Amino acid sequence: MPVLASHRKPRSTRPHSPAVGVTTAAIASVTLLSTQSAQAAPAPPKPTVEEIQKKVDDLYRQAGTATQEYNRAKEATDQQRRKVDRILDDVAKRTDSINESRRALGSYAAAQYRTGAVGPTAALIFADSPQSYFDQTHLMDRLSERQHSAVADYEEKRAEAAKQRAEATKSLESLTDSQATLRTSKQNVQGKLAEARTLLARLTAEEKARLAELERKRQAEARRKAEERAKAEAAAAAEAAAEAERRRQEEAAKDTPEPPATGGTSGSTYAAKAEKALAFARQQIGKPYVWGATGPSSYDCSGLTQAAWKSAGVDLPRTTWDQVEVGTRVATADLLPGDLVFFYDDISHVGLYIGGGKMIHAPKPGANVREESIYYMPIYGSVRPA
């Protein structure tokens, strides 16, 4: 019997293609992602010298603001510390007074003990609550008038001392809060100044030269404005003097006797005080700016103006924010020597006007007390403090 041929088709085999396509796609994907990442995060452009100057100026201004915050916190801390010291002194005095009252009560107890029995006075001394004991035993009715007075005095002093101790505890808590604020303000100042120093340290020699040139131009423009102001003031003074002389001659022509001296006016009084303040300020020229300093070897801006006017017998507050509220506000066009000129919208700087568009001020860290144009910084406003 012939063998029948098989009708099954031979198994077809697929060729095993290598994973070349997958590998190629993966490499392409990685390359594409790398390219996209490089395009998405380009290196930031280096700031220009002008931008650095603006940033540094802003940091110094922020440091000035933080310095005023530090000054305010330090003033509050010092006041709170003095208050705590006064309260603790009072508590100590009251404790001495309580001990005296306790000794008086002790003498009554000793007298009763010598009679052979522990009387109610002795029991009162060792009681936790004398008033409760009185309520329970009606001891008040049995005590002599003298003993009653001693016990009342003792109880009153104990209550006063307890009240003072509670006030001292509250004041100490407030002092702790003030000290924490002081530390934060100090850290803020140091942080701003460190950031400014870091920016300046990164400059190349060429950039530093460019920055110095920008500063010279800024100073020159401020001086130009001050000179214009000085000329205007001189012209106004000459005109006022001429007018005064004209009036004097008119009075002389009328043969009218001159009015008697009145002993000075408010204007001349202010001028005399201002001259004392300015004389003091001139003596400080060359001393370094140190934030938080009030003299005598260094100053910050408000520390200098405070010390200058104190030498003239006028007490100013510590911070620029409080000094601007003192005295009378005056327009820049009406400034007189001795007036306080404040700068920036946040009132973070102050100088003492000397006339001719100039002031004496403690500028910033790294600089000394000096004369400078009031137009070097944006003016906020001015005050006549006395």
Side-chain angles (χ1 to χ4, degrees):
M1 190 172 178
V3 178
L4 298 176
S6 174
H7 295 286
R8 287 181 297 181
K9 294 181 180 180
R11 182 179 298 172
S12 60
T13 58
R14 293 182 181 176
H16 296 284
S17 58
V20 174
V22 176
T23 304
T24 304
I27 294 174
S29 298
V30 171
T31 304
L32 178 60
L33 288 173
S34 299
T35 304
Q36 290 176 340
S37 298
Q39 292 175 348
K46 187 175 181 180
T48 65
V49 174
E50 288 80 3
E51 290 173 337
I52 292 174
Q53 181 190 46
K54 184 178 183 303
K55 178 65 175 176
V56 169
D57 287 345
D58 191 50
L59 285 170
Y60 277 131
R61 183 190 60 77
Q62 292 176 31
T65 302
T67 296
Q68 296 308 313
E69 291 171 350
Y70 170 86
N71 292 339
R72 176 174 286 179
K74 187 175 186 302
E75 188 174 42
T77 299
D78 292 343
Q79 291 175 351
Q80 197 63 34
R81 183 179 288 112
R82 287 192 294 268
K83 180 180 179 181
V84 169
D85 289 342
R86 286 195 302 269
I87 293 174
L88 292 178
D89 288 343
D90 195 30
V91 168
K93 292 176 183 177
R94 291 184 185 278
T95 300
D96 291 340
S97 182
I98 288 173
N99 290 336
E100 290 178 5
S101 297
R102 190 188 297 274
R103 283 192 291 271
L105 290 176
S107 66
Y108 293 136
Q112 291 174 343
Y113 178 78
R114 285 193 296 271
T115 65
V118 177
T121 304
L124 172 62
I125 293 175
F126 297 106
D128 292 333
S129 176
Q131 190 60 50
S132 175
Y133 183 80
F134 295 159
D135 295 339
Q136 293 173 6
T137 65
H138 302 288
L139 180 61
M140 298 295 286
D141 295 333
R142 297 198 302 272
L143 291 175
S144 69
E145 181 179 348
R146 191 172 182 182
Q147 289 173 317
H148 174 59
S149 175
V151 171
D153 181 62
Y154 172 71
E155 184 63 18
E156 180 182 354
K157 288 177 180 177
R158 279 214 328 181
E160 290 175 350
K163 181 180 179 181
Q164 288 295 96
R165 282 193 294 270
E167 186 177 353
T169 300
K170 185 177 180 181
S171 295
L172 284 170
E173 292 173 354
S174 179
L175 176 59
T176 300
D177 292 340
S178 297
Q179 289 171 332
T181 302
L182 184 64
R183 285 192 297 271
T184 300
S185 299
K186 182 176 181 179
Q187 291 168 356
N188 288 341
V189 175
Q190 292 172 331
K192 299 298 182 184
L193 295 179
E195 190 175 349
R197 286 192 294 268
T198 300
L199 279 175
L200 293 174
R202 290 174 179 170
L203 295 177
T204 64
E206 183 180 351
E207 288 171 334
K208 289 178 180 178
R210 171 63 178 157
L211 187 63
E213 178 62 23
L214 290 174
E215 179 64 16
R216 282 192 292 271
K217 289 182 178 179
R218 181 178 177 184
Q219 290 277 6
E221 177 62 15
R223 283 195 299 270
R224 183 188 66 77
K225 291 181 178 180
E227 289 168 359
E228 290 178 357
R229 173 63 185 261
K231 291 177 181 178
E233 287 182 1
E239 183 178 351
E243 178 64 17
E245 176 62 18
R246 184 185 64 78
R247 290 181 179 179
R248 188 191 67 78
Q249 291 178 357
E250 287 180 355
E251 293 296 328
K254 295 178 182 178
D255 198 22
T256 303
E258 294 184 2
T262 60
T265 65
S266 59
S268 62
T269 300
Y270 178 75
K273 291 181 178 180
E275 184 52 42
K276 290 181 180 179
L278 291 172
F280 177 92
R282 290 188 180 97
Q283 291 173 353
Q284 313 315 309
I285 290 177
K287 293 182 179 180
Y289 174 102
V290 174
W291 62 269
T294 57
S297 58
S298 58
Y299 297 89
D300 64 16
C301 64
S302 57
L304 176 63
T305 52
Q306 182 187 47
W309 269 104
K310 187 176 181 62
S311 71
V314 178
D315 290 326
L316 295 181
R318 178 65 183 91
T319 70
T320 54
W321 303 321
D322 293 326
Q323 289 182 9
V324 76
E325 301 296 333
V326 173
T328 306
R329 294 293 294 269
V330 294
T332 303
D334 299 326
L335 282 171
L336 293 177
D339 290 348
L340 303 178
V341 186
F342 298 88
F343 301 90
Y344 301 112
D345 290 341
D346 59 0
I347 323 177
S348 56
H349 193 73
V350 62
L352 191 66
Y353 191 65
I354 62 175
K358 294 182 178 181
M359 63 180 170
I360 296 175
H361 71 141
K364 60 184 178 182
N368 296 332
V369 175
R370 65 193 183 200
E371 290 187 7
E372 195 156 47
S373 168
I374 62 172
Y375 300 104
Y376 180 74
M377 295 168 284
I379 297 174
Y380 171 83
S382 304
V383 162
R384 189 156 298 150

